[in-house]
Amino acid sequence: MGQEIGNNGFTADDFARFSQRLALETRHAQDAYVRGDFANTDLVAGFELEAWLIDEKLFPVPRNVSFLARMANPLVVPELSRFNVELNGTPQPLVGPALSLLENELVATWQECLRVAALEDAALIAIGTLPTIREADLSLASMSPYRRYAMLNEQILLLRGGRPLTLDIAGIENLSTTHADVMLEAATTSFQVHLQTPASEAARTYNASLMLAAPLLALSANSPFLFERALWHETRVPLFEQAVDCCDPGHPQHRRVTFGSGYLGADPTACFAENLANYAVLLPVEIPGPVESYAHLRLHNGTIWRWNRLLIGFDDQGLPHLRVEQRVMPAGPSIIDMIANAAFYYGAVRRLARQDLPPESQLPFPIAQDNFYRAARDGFNAQLRWLNGRRMPACELLEQLLLPLARAGLEQLDLAAADIQRYLEVIAGRLRSRRNGAVWQLAHYRKHHDFFRLTADYLDHQRHLMPVHEWPI
């Protein structure tokens, strides 16, 4: 989805040619996996962070074109709306000081973004949903001026037969509205963590990522408000799922934004065959290159936003690899919070994926899925079921079982001991205080009843690089 497209419109022939090439590449990927052509090299970590540009009144400001021109940094790229940008991290082999290298680079990129944003009379903020966002901000006038976004909007609306998108969220308060385009998606910003994994371990790693999605979301929730209503602790989840909903109403499992349809079996490339069978092509762009570049498969996969997504990439030698993109975490609250979340995920997923008895055999997929939506609604208070079959509050599951699991996994990876201690102490502090970003925002609003003060205080604390459990209310 990152590449630009040049078409002004698509024909039936475009769809036919793309579908033919997509089928060919999907079969090739499956055969290549059987042959052992995908890399079995060590783990590599990376991330993408989506952020908001806001003005002096704390409203979103659509200036990413001039902002990006000033930045001129390949790590900082456009997003769907003119008031969003994406910051990327340089992938790091997951050994030694990898975590602090990721943090140091992000801090440097973030500080440069803040400097450049100030030249645009703007500021940058990382938060799941901006408390000051207005529905009027989410119009096509705010769409980034790249053809891929306009065509994506057009194709989704065509699949919907022109019907407007309906947003209906019942939470602490209720929200119901309709929207004429996909720009609601621009109100959801995330911290997406990548883990390149040996191909032989890709299925186990993906399945462990699905199991961890719920506790990880409870740990990191940071999106309680939308259009001045308190909804879910992670309102980003129902908002994103409904913002690009173009599935057949009779087949909700085929939504473009979904938890998925089940665990992977022995062949992880089966998920690409599922994409081919169940999801209409949205962007039938013909891309030159050999079948083994998987260009059409990768583009199609980029228009299906599973909360955990398996991706194909290539190393410096051109060898294909598989990586898991963990998409459940919102942006923010602070840089150290986000890297600590990544550290927790990397350690826990490593430990689960390497257990002798596959943990997915102990936690049925429907329960992992139910856990996910419970965590999105209720955050730390969500009642989650784990491998022993017993339900317990998410905060207790994290504190008693998963934090020690993550520590063991990070130690197994031979990461720097000082990094392990630093980042997991951030997680432990958050659990002791029972305060993540959503809890802080909800408590702040209960005390002050002012979304602008909330946003201003949040921005100030974020700039001081403090973990959220240390933020005053």
Side-chain angles (χ1 to χ4, degrees):
M1 277 303 296
Q3 70 181 73
E4 181 57 309
I5 62 177
N7 301 59
N8 290 321
F10 298 122
T11 67
D13 286 344
D14 291 329
F15 282 97
R17 285 194 299 270
F18 187 96
S19 297
Q20 184 178 30
R21 183 59 182 259
L22 176 61
L24 185 63
E25 292 178 7
T26 302
R27 288 194 298 271
H28 189 282
Q30 292 181 293
D31 292 342
Y33 180 78
V34 171
R35 291 194 303 267
D37 292 350
F38 284 91
N40 259 311
T41 49
D42 292 334
L43 302 179
V44 178
F47 65 81
E48 304 165 54
L49 170 60
E50 298 162 349
W52 302 73
L53 287 165
I54 58 175
D55 64 19
E56 67 281 358
K57 295 181 179 179
L58 305 176
F59 290 122
V61 59
R63 294 180 192 156
N64 71 354
V65 174
S66 55
F67 169 83
L68 292 168
R70 285 182 189 265
M71 279 294 299
N73 184 337
L75 293 177
V76 186
V77 298
E79 263 294 332
L80 172 64
S81 82
R82 292 175 185 259
F83 48 74
N84 292 139
V85 293
E86 178 184 283
L87 287 67
N88 291 271
T90 303
Q92 298 289 339
L94 200 52
V95 294
L99 296 171
S100 53
L101 289 174
L102 290 171
E103 182 188 5
N104 293 341
E105 182 184 52
L106 180 54
V107 168
T109 305
W110 186 258
Q111 298 291 5
E112 179 64 7
C113 284
L114 293 179
R115 185 190 70 79
V116 172
L119 299 176
E120 295 281 327
D121 295 320
L124 203 70
I125 186 170
I127 191 168
T129 56
L130 185 68
T132 57
I133 188 75
R134 301 157 297 190
E135 193 164 359
D137 294 316
L138 301 170
S139 71
L140 290 180
S142 295
M143 179 179 280
S144 288
Y146 301 94
R147 192 64 187 158
R148 65 182 180 271
Y149 297 130
M151 297 308 296
L152 182 69
N153 178 69
E154 178 181 299
Q155 292 302 312
I156 286 175
L157 291 178
L158 280 173
L159 285 176
R160 291 183 59 82
R163 290 178 291 112
L165 291 142
T166 300
L167 188 62
D168 191 0
I169 305 174
I172 301 170
E173 300 176 78
N174 297 333
L175 174 65
S176 183
T177 186
T178 58
H179 208 77
D181 50 62
V182 301
M183 287 299 291
L184 284 171
E185 180 192 337
T188 70
T189 54
S190 61
F191 177 62
Q192 299 160 15
V193 171
H194 291 241
L195 180 60
Q196 180 184 327
T197 181
S200 59
E201 298 180 10
R204 287 286 305 273
T205 301
Y206 179 85
N207 293 345
S209 295
L210 287 175
M211 298 171 63
L212 285 169
L216 187 60
L217 185 56
L219 179 68
S220 61
N222 192 36
S223 313
F225 297 110
L226 179 64
F227 304 151
E228 299 189 347
R229 287 180 174 84
L231 299 168
W232 291 16
H233 280 235
E234 193 49 41
T235 302
R236 217 177 96 256
V237 168
L239 175 56
F240 194 13
E241 290 194 352
Q242 295 176 39
V244 290
D245 183 11
C246 56
C247 74
D248 180 338
H251 296 87
Q253 70 274 25
H254 298 159
R255 282 184 168 176
R256 305 301 290 212
V257 185
T258 174
F259 189 73
S261 58
Y263 293 127
L264 289 175
D267 178 6
T269 66
C271 68
F272 304 129
E274 181 182 342
N275 290 350
L276 175 67
N278 294 333
Y279 292 96
V281 170
L282 291 183
L283 299 175
V285 182
E286 197 163 5
I287 307 169
V291 171
E292 58 269 22
S293 69
Y294 305 120
H296 301 77
L297 185 158
R298 294 165 75 196
L299 177 58
H300 185 52
N301 193 40
T303 67
I304 301 158
W305 297 275
R306 292 182 181 89
W307 290 109
N308 281 267
R309 185 161 62 180
L310 192 68
L311 304 174
I312 294 177
F314 294 88
D315 63 20
D316 293 338
Q317 288 71 47
L319 186 67
H321 64 250
L322 295 171
R323 71 180 187 272
V324 175
E325 182 186 35
Q326 175 62 273
R327 301 170 53 81
V328 307
M329 290 179 285
S334 69
I335 289 176
I336 192 170
D337 281 314
M338 290 184 282
I339 300 300
N341 293 339
F344 171 84
Y345 166 69
Y346 289 139
V349 78
R350 171 71 165 186
R351 195 68 172 170
L352 284 175
R354 287 291 187 92
Q355 287 185 1
D356 291 337
L357 177 63
E360 56 266 41
S361 68
Q362 302 168 267
L363 189 75
F365 176 81
I367 294 177
Q369 185 176 43
D370 178 66
N371 281 347
F372 175 71
Y373 292 103
R374 287 173 178 264
R377 282 193 307 271
D378 301 326
F380 275 147
N381 297 322
Q383 293 287 323
L384 306 183
R385 184 173 295 169
W386 197 239
L387 306 185
N388 57 13
R390 183 169 63 90
R391 286 204 185 277
M392 57 195 306
C395 54
E396 293 181 16
L397 171 63
L398 286 157
E399 199 166 38
Q400 297 173 20
L401 300 180
L402 296 183
L403 186 56
L405 187 81
R407 183 178 296 277
L410 293 175
E411 291 171 349
Q412 188 180 62
L413 288 167
D414 200 25
L415 285 155
D419 281 0
I420 295 173
Q421 179 60 28
R422 179 168 186 256
Y423 297 117
L424 292 191
E425 177 52 35
V426 170
I427 301 298
R430 201 184 307 163
L431 293 172
R432 284 193 300 268
S433 65
R434 300 294 194 259
R435 181 190 291 174
N436 56 21
V439 171
W440 183 88
Q441 289 189 57
L442 288 163
H444 190 288
Y445 186 75
R446 280 195 301 270
K447 181 176 180 180
H448 301 292
H449 301 285
D450 186 338
F451 286 110
F452 295 94
R453 179 170 177 177
L454 187 162
T455 305
D457 287 351
Y458 180 107
L459 182 61
D460 181 62
H461 299 328
Q462 184 175 85
R463 285 183 168 179
H464 283 90
L465 304 177
M466 296 189 301
V468 71
H469 70 274
E470 296 179 3
W471 289 11
I473 295 174

